[in-house]
Amino acid sequence: MDPAREAHAEESDDDALDAYSATVMRVAETVTPHVAAIEMTGKGRNGRFRVGAGSAVLFTEDGYLLTNSHVVAGTRQGHAAFADGSRTDLELVGTDPLSDLAVVRGRAPKVAPAQFGDAETLRVGQLVIAVGNPLGLAGSVTAGVVSGLGRAIPVWQGSNRRVIEDVIQTDAALNSGSSGGALADSHGRIVGINTAVAGAGLGLAVPINTTTRRIISALLKDGRVRRAYLGVVSTPSRLSASAVIRTGQRDGLRVVEVLAGSPADRAGLQAGDFILTAGSRPVSNAESLQKLLFADAIGQPLPVRVLRDGKELDLVAVPEEMAATG
């Protein structure tokens, strides 16, 4: 490469790096004021003690914050500290273990609420910025890209095993304390609530979309979400060319695991199946399945069509109500 061309290439790389840095800094300045460090406490013989800690995102002007269910598990009170130094006591409003979302409320804050975006617009490879309080380090910012969409992961909470569905996977670093923090797009809109429940090194976030907005509304109104439970761990997957021709469908949900004794297990679903439709509606991601699993689906037969070894099978599952413990 001649010197002039090499110099131009280096200048272009510098410009790209400057643009990346400028975007991350702008988003960090926009989002950080909305993210609080929270500490949830219990009451013992010697006074109050810490039960859990993490982050939370202010999303209303009157002091409601969104965080993870596992951050507030087992407690109803705590306190929050914002980046501007202001603090407020918190009380639990509601929690939904299946989505790993919870709502807490403090005093009306001095800062404006965050702006929610729509995770349905995200694409793999897109820049995202995580803001939270990992390992007690307040206002920490990490950046990365969307590594995957529509993931469903099994996690343990005490002796209970549950599945968090339709999560965003990112390579933005998350650690203990990041849970409940914000995942933002390049415009500073909150597209996910970070969760570190799966362990350090795996960046996951609960998406902000139509389904989670419905969950948040239920938590604000009733303090809980009545959810139907199937018991499958799945991931979105493109069907093979022959399957596309046979089914007329390009995408489905590949079943990674069926939880023993679950409604899906009793219905005959197996790991390796591709779920094509549920309730006669095409299923292409975890959210399209979640939309069918609210209160009105509990105890009702749910037809499920799957592709197994090149053959279509019609199965019937009967979703159960998810226990409050998850």
Side-chain angles (χ1 to χ4, degrees), residues 18-156:
D18 288 345
Y20 175 88
S21 299
T23 299
V24 174
M25 289 187 292
R26 184 184 70 250
V27 172
E29 290 173 357
T30 299
V31 174
T32 299
H34 311 308
V35 180
I38 67 171
E39 186 173 281
M40 304 303 291
T41 58
K43 190 174 183 180
R45 292 182 178 179
N46 299 320
R48 303 205 69 84
F49 61 93
R50 190 173 84 165
V51 176
S55 308
V57 179
L58 179 71
F59 69 100
T60 73
E61 293 182 347
D62 50 351
Y64 287 92
L65 299 98
L66 189 60
T67 185
N68 285 148
S69 174
H70 74 268
V71 170
V72 302
T75 184
R76 300 195 63 83
Q77 294 182 318
H79 56 265
F82 289 91
D84 65 358
S86 60
R87 297 174 63 87
T88 180
D89 291 334
L90 296 175
E91 62 178 357
L92 180 66
V93 175
T95 183
D96 179 43
L98 185 60
S99 65
D100 199 25
L101 290 176
V103 173
V104 294
R105 187 182 186 183
R107 294 190 308 272
K110 299 178 182 178
V111 297
Q115 179 185 358
F116 280 165
D118 183 2
E120 292 303 296
T121 65
L122 292 178
R123 297 292 179 266
V124 173
Q126 183 173 335
L127 172 66
V128 284
I129 295 92
V131 180
N133 304 281
L135 306 175
L137 303 174
S140 294
V141 177
T142 59
V145 298
V146 175
S147 305
L149 294 166
R151 304 297 198 206
I153 58 165
V155 296
W156 287 92

Side-chain angles (χ1 to χ4, degrees), residues 165-183:
E165 298 193 49
D166 196 29
V167 297
I168 302 164
Q169 182 183 346
T170 171
D171 65 355
L174 299 178
N175 288 288
S176 178
S178 296
S179 288
L183 187 72

